[in-house]
Amino acid sequence: MPSDCISYQNSGYFSKLIIDYLNQKPELQSLYHRFPKIENFLPQIEEKTKNFSQENRQILVDSLFEQNKNFVLSEKSLENIELLKESTTFTITTGHQLNLFTGPLYFLYKIVSTINLSKELKVKYPTYDFVPVYWMATEDHDFEEINHFTFKNKKIKWDTSSKGPVGRLSTQGLDEVYEQFAKELGIGDNANYLKELFRKAYLEHDNLTEATRFLANELFKEEGLIIVDGDDLSLKKLFAPYVQKELVEQTSFQNVSESNKKLNEYDIQVNPREINLFYIEDNLRERIVYEKGKYIVNNTKIEFSKNEILTELKNHPEKFSPNVILRPLYQEIILPNLCYIGGGGEIAYWLQLKSNFESNNITFPILLLRNSVLLAFTKQVSKIDKLHLNWSDLFLKQQDLINKKAKELSNYNIDFTLQKEFLKQQFSTLNKIAQQTDKSFLGAVKAQEAKQIKGLENLEKRLLKAEKRVLADQLERITNIQNELFPNGGLQERKQNFSEFYIESGDELISKLLSELNPLDQNFSTLIV
């Protein structure tokens, strides 16, 4: 089995911004509060303690019990909810969309990272308690992103439509998806477990929020995971003063725009709007815009004067939903949170938000890139060994991998670097002679040097091409195993569903992730399942 590892920075799968963040580039340090090192959590605890009220704790606990009243929680989860009443308890949070049957694999990695960091912090700081939280993105509306998952290269899709917050969407019609998935799963104990898990989650619950809550709870309840739905009246009341500030002062637009100027060498993840709020009902989620002295709900006939919208906020705070700019602020207002764990895209937009937190006097959390994992079956690892591949080889772009292995497997030295260096040395002598004669001769020497080097490069390419034909069978086996592990040339964790691996490994899949992933490590994990 290959024993090498590859860092996130060298994997080729993260943006320049994330690489620079992981490398703690000085130019970025004003955009985050504390870097995710174990020693930085104590000052984060001390700051959050001063900035989170006991009243908010009690409202949060009451809300969590209400949200879970129809669910059977483990003793560990119930204990963790009770612990949130204490001023010495803090959360470690990740968030994710309500993807059908969890969507891509990284849903698991986010939550495992959150659970494992909570455990690691408890060991380091035993006088405090740390609760892992999964924040469900129940108020999102991009249904096309979440209405499917991939199982063994087949897309399992829920064909329906959604106009409002996805969490309120009825689960009607998912019986057809269940039948399709059950057929693909086949027979066996693990297949039967997955069928039952899907059936109970989606056919025994009325909406997508409750279905997702059941699913995440079943997968992780013994780890004490707490699942939070922000689409909640009690929690929205805590957020209402900040909603009012956004409506009246519109400061987040200015704050985030200023932060974006510091990121001008990077791709900006999100752009702020003048008002970063939606107005929501069961079948409605539209932006609030301010035009000609009126607050207008986009694409509707709904409009308010200033007094009217503030009255609406007072009477119905649940109808005001934060967009991607304000959702993190909402989360940190209602949770005694220390750290947010997310993927590269999420960390990128969080790096735009610190100034807006400061403007609202809310502690900015530590930002941690979630664990990334490459899962391989035993048979695949055996093939990798026989092909003399390292894990780092498999992360190469396929053409680079083919070229590298062709050169390694060839009986000839396909690298003409020595020949090119020798040629340059010869021309160096000619250049010295040419500099003492006519300038036209110097130009002729340089042109001939370029021509000779180019000729060697062409010969190198032709030899490599010829060797690829000779080694075609071996190179095909190499590309086949890479294609298995990196579907469509992308990361497995962004394509495949956990069920594909659960079929083979059962409960060991999640237990291995929990036992082997280190949330503060900056290397890709490779696990045999």
Side-chain angles (χ1 to χ4, degrees):
M1 174 182 170
S3 58
D4 65 314
C5 62
I6 187 164
S7 69
Y8 297 144
Q9 293 96 315
N10 294 328
S11 69
Y13 285 96
F14 289 93
S15 69
K16 183 179 186 299
L17 175 58
I18 295 303
I19 291 170
D20 286 349
Y21 174 64
L22 293 175
N23 290 334
Q24 300 179 66
K25 188 176 179 180
E27 289 83 351
L28 291 178
Q29 287 178 4
S30 66
L31 299 177
Y32 60 90
H33 197 29
R34 295 183 175 94
F35 194 74
K37 296 178 180 179
I38 195 75
E39 62 269 21
N40 285 342
F41 279 87
L42 184 57
Q44 189 76 16
I45 288 168
E46 292 167 347
E47 182 177 342
K48 191 68 179 183
T49 299
K50 298 172 185 174
N51 201 10
F52 197 81
S53 72
Q54 192 61 39
E55 180 187 3
N56 280 27
R57 286 182 177 276
Q58 189 60 54
I59 290 170
L60 173 63
V61 168
D62 292 344
S63 176
L64 288 171
F65 278 123
E66 179 64 23
Q67 289 184 20
N68 286 284
K69 65 183 179 182
N70 296 321
F71 292 82
V72 178
L73 299 186
S74 68
E75 287 185 18
K76 181 66 174 173
S77 292
L78 290 169
E79 178 187 329
N80 277 347
I81 294 176
E82 288 286 353
L83 278 172
L84 286 169
K85 294 178 183 176
E86 305 299 325
S87 61
T88 52
T89 301
F90 300 89
T91 61
I92 305 298
T93 302
T94 192
H96 197 66
Q97 296 169 296
L98 307 189
N99 294 71
L100 187 62
F101 212 50
T102 76
L105 272 162
Y106 65 79
F107 172 85
L108 298 188
Y109 306 157
K110 280 183 166 184
I111 293 178
V112 169
S113 298
T114 305
I115 291 167
N116 282 353
L117 182 57
S118 299
K119 292 176 180 177
E120 189 170 343
L121 288 170
K122 181 62 177 175
V123 172
K124 178 68 175 177
Y125 304 109
T127 57
Y128 297 97
D129 289 296
F130 307 92
V131 174
V133 167
Y134 161 43
W135 178 288
M136 294 190 293
T138 55
E139 296 179 60
D140 279 6
H141 71 290
D142 198 341
F143 183 64
E144 294 301 313
E145 285 190 6
I146 68 167
N147 68 350
H148 62 278
F149 63 94
T150 301
F151 178 75
K152 295 187 176 179
N153 295 320
K154 292 190 178 179
K155 192 174 186 178
I156 310 293
K157 185 179 178 182
W158 180 15
D159 283 315
T160 189
S161 60
S162 173
K163 294 180 180 179
V166 293
R168 302 184 189 183
L169 184 62
S170 168
T171 51
Q172 263 190 320
L174 277 166
D175 51 342
E176 296 175 10
V177 179
Y178 168 72
E179 294 298 333
Q180 179 190 358
F181 184 40
K183 189 182 294 184
E184 296 293 341
L185 282 168
I187 59 174
D189 290 343
N190 292 340
N192 290 338
Y193 170 80
L194 291 170
K195 289 174 193 175
E196 273 299 282
L197 185 62
F198 189 101
R199 187 187 66 78
K200 288 179 178 178
Y202 294 100
L203 306 190
E204 294 185 2
H205 295 91
D206 294 333
N207 60 50
L208 197 53
T209 292
E210 300 301 272
T212 305
R213 183 187 296 278
F214 174 85
L215 181 60
N217 185 52
E218 282 299 303
L219 292 173
F220 293 104
K221 62 184 177 183
E222 297 306 323
E223 300 298 325
L225 182 68
I226 301 302
I227 302 164
V228 176
D229 174 14
D231 189 6
D232 179 288
L233 177 58
S234 297
L235 301 180
K236 285 287 180 72
K237 285 179 180 177
L238 295 178
F239 187 49
Y242 303 88
V243 173
Q244 179 170 326
K245 182 177 180 180
E246 178 70 6
L247 290 168
V248 176
E249 300 179 25
Q250 301 173 21
T251 54
S252 59
F253 176 78
Q254 181 179 346
N255 291 332
V256 178
S257 296
E258 286 298 314
S259 294
N260 286 355
K261 292 177 183 177
K262 299 177 183 178
L263 291 164
N264 57 11
E265 67 174 286
Y266 305 100
D267 293 329
I268 297 296
Q269 197 72 14
V270 293
N271 286 299
R273 298 187 181 278
E274 286 78 5
I275 296 177
N276 294 281
L277 296 165
F278 291 95
Y279 187 82
I280 60 172
E281 294 176 341
D282 286 350
N283 292 299
L284 174 70
R285 186 180 188 264
E286 290 287 350
R287 287 193 300 116
I288 299 171
V289 295
Y290 187 71
E291 292 179 357
K292 298 177 181 178
K294 291 280 189 179
Y295 292 89
I296 297 168
V297 179
N298 208 32
N299 297 318
T300 74
K301 295 181 180 179
I302 303 171
E303 64 177 39
F304 304 93
S305 66
K306 178 181 175 181
N307 288 336
E308 287 170 341
I309 202 165
L310 295 181
T311 300
E312 180 77 351
L313 173 61
K314 182 179 178 181
N315 294 334
H316 298 286
E318 74 280 4
K319 291 191 174 187
F320 293 81
S321 174
N323 74 354
V324 67
I325 296 292
L326 285 183
R327 188 209 62 78
L329 185 71
Y330 176 34
Q331 170 191 298
E332 299 300 313
I333 287 164
I334 67 174
L335 294 176
N337 195 47
L338 302 177
C339 176
Y340 183 77
I341 298 178
E346 290 174 281
I347 300 302
Y349 75 70
W350 274 84
L351 288 170
Q352 299 173 237
L353 305 179
K354 181 168 173 274
S355 62
N356 199 44
F357 274 72
E358 291 171 341
S359 173
N360 286 283
N361 297 312
I362 299 297
T363 299
F364 195 64
I366 291 172
L367 303 178
L368 177 62
L369 188 66
R370 64 168 172 82
N371 284 121
S372 280
V373 186
L374 179 64
L375 300 177
F377 296 119
T378 304
K379 288 181 180 178
Q380 291 173 322
V381 174
S382 178
K383 288 180 185 177
I384 292 168
D385 281 337
K386 288 176 182 176
L387 292 167
H388 304 291
L389 292 167
N390 296 318
W391 292 121
S392 55
D393 292 333
L394 292 163
F395 276 86
L396 292 171
K397 299 300 180 188
Q398 192 156 94
Q399 196 56 52
D400 294 336
L401 173 61
I402 292 169
N403 290 344
K404 180 177 186 285
K405 298 311 292 184
K407 290 177 181 179
E408 289 177 6
L409 294 167
S410 174
N411 293 323
Y412 310 101
N413 182 5
I414 301 177
D415 186 351
F416 285 8
T417 300
L418 287 177
Q419 288 83 352
K420 283 182 271 190
E421 285 300 318
F422 178 76
L423 196 61
K424 287 176 182 178
Q425 288 172 14
Q426 302 305 306
F427 273 96
S428 175
T429 303
L430 281 173
N431 277 320
K432 289 176 183 176
I433 295 170
Q435 286 169 3
Q436 299 171 27
T437 60
D438 187 81
K439 287 185 178 180
S440 64
F441 181 59
L442 179 62
V445 170
K446 289 191 175 295
Q448 190 62 224
E449 179 182 7
K451 182 179 179 181
Q452 294 293 330
I453 295 292
K454 186 69 174 176
L456 274 176
E457 289 173 349
N458 287 335
L459 285 173
E460 188 177 40
K461 288 176 183 176
R462 290 187 67 175
L463 179 56
L464 179 60
K465 189 174 181 181
E467 284 300 276
K468 284 180 186 176
R469 287 195 294 269
V470 173
L471 300 166
D473 289 345
Q474 287 169 278
L475 294 176
E476 184 180 11
R477 290 196 291 273
I478 288 170
T479 56
N480 285 344
I481 191 65
Q482 188 187 44
N483 290 339
E484 287 178 21
L485 294 170
F486 293 81
N488 300 319
L491 287 178
Q492 174 195 82
E493 63 186 36
R494 297 178 187 171
K495 306 278 185 182
Q496 294 169 275
N497 184 258
F498 85 97
S499 56
E500 195 165 328
F501 298 89
Y502 193 96
I503 281 284
E504 300 291 331
S505 303
D507 291 341
E508 281 191 18
L509 173 63
I510 293 177
S511 64
K512 273 191 175 183
L513 293 171
L514 287 164
S515 66
E516 298 193 35
L517 297 191
N518 176 358
L520 296 176
D521 188 21
Q522 291 186 9
N523 292 304
F524 257 90
S525 299
T526 47
L527 297 182
I528 303 173
V529 293

